[in-house]
Amino acid sequence: MKTDEWFRLKNPEKVISPSLLVYPDRVMHNIRTMITMAGGPENLRPHIKTHKNADIIKAQLDYGINKFKCATIAEAELLAQCNAPDVLLAMQPVGANRERFINLIQKFPKTVFSTLVDNPLTVKQLGNLAAKNKLQLNLYIDLNVGMNRTGIIPDDEALKLYETISTHPHLLAVGLHAYDGHLRNPDAKIRKQNCDEAFEKVLHLKENIIKMGLAEPVIIAGGSPSFPFHCRRKNVIASPGTTLLWDAGYGDLFPEMDFLPAAVLFTRILSKPKAGILCFDLGHKSLASEMPFPRVQFLTLEHGKQLKQSEEHFMVQYDDLKVLEVGEEHYAVPMHICPTVAKYEELIVVEDGKVTGNWKVAARNQKITV
């Protein structure tokens, strides 16, 4: 195996395809890089939506990271099962998830849970549930800083909502949450400028909260694209997620970040149906399909145009079929790793070119027990 082919299996014949391979040494590199950039683990609240995996959670705990962020009740439960001390459910609980959030708190009393709200109705509903169950719920206000996906605009209405939470006997206003995933300019200077401009409104809201006589709010900010900027701010907790496994999409957009792809798709050529066409076993069921083509970055094809994807198949135009045979194995980094991981029950662990075990993607489903 060539030294630069870190991804290649020494004995691939017994590995089924498609599979998602994970490389622990690269995961650990990414964890250390996050901590170094943030100036210490205390300034981090990494998201687990990318990996949904206990082994990676425990590795972060071993490095001193004790605050985490998640998107689902199942992910929150996985964190609690790993004895994570502090867990933020970063999806406002609605419908049945409100009761599930209460059940989670009751089932895992050693973990401090919090969640997001962005409107008076949800605050009222959670307040009633907290009173009914004799609990105090920890809440962050989710702020819309330009992505227009969730959150409340950081203006007087947000200030009023924060005050409402602060005066409720069964609710605790912990702080502010600002996700700016829409800021993806590949020019780091422009991306920083955009990030700083969006964050100004958050700081202004924080100042008004303090002027009201309330405790200084904790601020959780950003995702992976804005991580290099938020991680340098004083009194701000940065919350990257994709940084744990990285992918080709972010790698191409943000080459200045020192993260390594740590998960690779293992695939084989299924067929050569006509001259110039290769078919791989990377259909929608095995590879995130919401991205435009290309959807992977092949590590073992020097060129080729990705044409089409269906449920089980992935077609690539290639002009040198003489050296490629049906059944031949190949390796590819997904352009978008997060939804790709969720398609696999387990990650195949590879160390020094050998399969050494598997890591269960335990929170890929909606529910574990709660």
Side-chain angles (χ1 to χ4, degrees), residues 31-324:
I31 293 173
R32 291 191 297 268
T33 299
M34 281 167 39
I35 292 172
T36 299
M37 290 175 67
E42 65 278 2
N43 300 321
L44 286 169
R45 186 182 286 272
H47 209 310
I48 75 158
K49 68 181 178 66
T50 297
H51 56 83
K52 304 174 186 288
N53 169 256
D55 299 87
I56 296 177
I57 292 168
K58 291 174 181 175
Q60 292 178 89
L61 287 166
D62 288 343
Y63 273 97
I65 297 171
N66 57 25
K67 298 182 292 292
F68 295 87
K69 182 172 161 182
C70 62
T72 68
I73 298 290
E75 291 172 6
E77 182 172 356
L78 177 62
L79 283 160
Q81 290 176 347
C82 293
N83 297 313
D86 187 336
V87 174
L88 169 64
L89 175 65
M91 287 275 282
Q92 181 167 245
V94 297
N97 282 341
R98 293 195 300 267
E99 290 278 1
R100 292 178 71 202
F101 184 61
I102 298 296
N103 294 340
L104 193 69
I105 293 169
Q106 293 170 330
K107 184 169 182 177
F108 297 98
K110 293 183 179 180
T111 296
V112 176
F113 293 96
S114 55
T115 192
L116 305 182
V117 291
D118 68 5
N119 68 91
L121 177 59
T122 301
V123 169
K124 180 179 178 180
Q125 291 169 336
L126 289 176
N128 291 341
L129 269 176
K132 178 182 175 182
N133 289 275
K134 297 180 173 58
L135 295 172
Q136 185 178 55
L137 300 185
N138 302 310
L139 302 182
Y140 288 79
I141 289 189
D142 188 22
L143 300 176
N144 179 5
V145 292
M147 193 166 188
N148 300 325
R149 186 175 70 179
T150 66
I152 184 173
I153 301 295
D155 56 14
D156 289 343
E157 288 299 311
L159 182 62
K160 183 179 178 181
L161 187 63
Y162 200 89
E163 183 182 21
T164 299
I165 298 168
S166 300
T167 56
H168 196 290
H170 290 276
L171 300 176
L172 178 65
V174 182
L176 308 172
H177 173 269
Y179 179 65
D180 51 11
H182 60 297
L183 303 178
R184 299 185 176 203
N185 195 301
D187 186 318
K189 291 182 179 179
I190 296 175
R191 193 165 75 254
K192 182 182 185 304
Q193 181 180 345
N194 294 338
C195 179
D196 290 344
E197 289 174 357
F199 195 66
E200 276 300 314
K201 295 179 180 179
V202 180
L203 293 176
H204 183 66
L205 177 59
K206 173 186 172 180
E207 291 172 1
N208 286 336
I209 289 170
I210 295 171
K211 287 178 183 178
M212 191 179 285
L214 300 173
E216 180 177 338
V218 175
I219 297 179
I220 301 169
S224 298
S226 58
F227 174 59
F229 319 123
H230 290 305
C231 74
R232 297 172 189 165
R233 303 187 196 278
K234 291 183 179 180
N235 302 318
V236 170
I237 306 298
S239 58
T242 306
T243 49
L244 275 306
L245 294 179
W246 210 229
D247 58 26
Y250 277 0
D252 287 346
L253 277 175
F254 316 124
E256 78 279 1
M257 294 197 210
D258 187 32
F259 296 105
L260 300 175
V264 173
L265 287 160
F266 176 75
T267 182
R268 288 187 171 95
I269 298 173
L270 278 178
S271 179
K272 295 163 63 174
K274 60 177 289 187
I277 299 294
L278 296 173
C279 177
F280 292 86
D281 52 3
L282 281 179
H284 297 148
K285 298 174 183 176
S286 307
L287 168 66
S289 56
E290 90 286 2
M291 304 292 286
F293 290 106
R295 290 179 179 159
V296 297
Q297 187 178 89
F298 277 100
L299 299 173
T300 45
L301 290 179
E302 292 183 3
H303 45 90
K305 181 180 179 181
Q306 296 169 32
L307 300 175
K308 184 179 177 182
Q309 187 184 27
S310 57
E311 288 187 48
E312 313 289 354
H313 306 91
F314 191 79
M315 280 66 79
V316 176
Q317 182 178 327
Y318 200 70
D319 59 6
D320 188 10
L321 297 185
K322 299 188 299 294
V323 297
L324 300 172

